[in-house]
Amino acid sequence: MGQALNKAHAQFLEANLFHLAKQAKRVPLDVENKKNETEPTLSEADRADMQVFLAHMLAMLPVLGVHAFEQPPQAPAPIAPELIC
């Protein structure tokens, strides 16, 4: 990405982070944040840049102790006992 982030880029990141936090259900979300659910219109190139930027953010956040966007671990499916006659 050769240029600085603008307002539309920040809104794109905010909308995607809100969606990920909502899916993860790790933190309570305010009703006020619902206005941030819609993504702004970006060019295809800007959208691709922001998706890469978001992926880098999501890779760094757990290192900083932020786990709000991670999906909780799935419980293993119970193993049915093997019945032998």
Side-chain angles (χ1 to χ4, degrees), residues 26-46:
R26 288 182 172 246
V27 293
L29 299 172
D30 292 334
V31 175
E32 293 176 15
N33 287 335
K34 288 204 178 259
K35 65 180 178 168
N36 302 327
E37 287 188 72
T38 57
E39 288 183 10
T41 303
L42 293 176
S43 69
E44 188 175 342
D46 279 347

Side-chain angles (χ1 to χ4, degrees), residues 9-19 33 35-38 54:
H9 294 146
Q11 289 172 338
F12 177 87
L13 293 171
E14 183 179 24
N16 280 278
L17 289 170
F18 181 82
H19 178 70
N33 287 335
K35 65 180 178 168
N36 302 327
E37 287 188 72
T38 57
L54 180 62

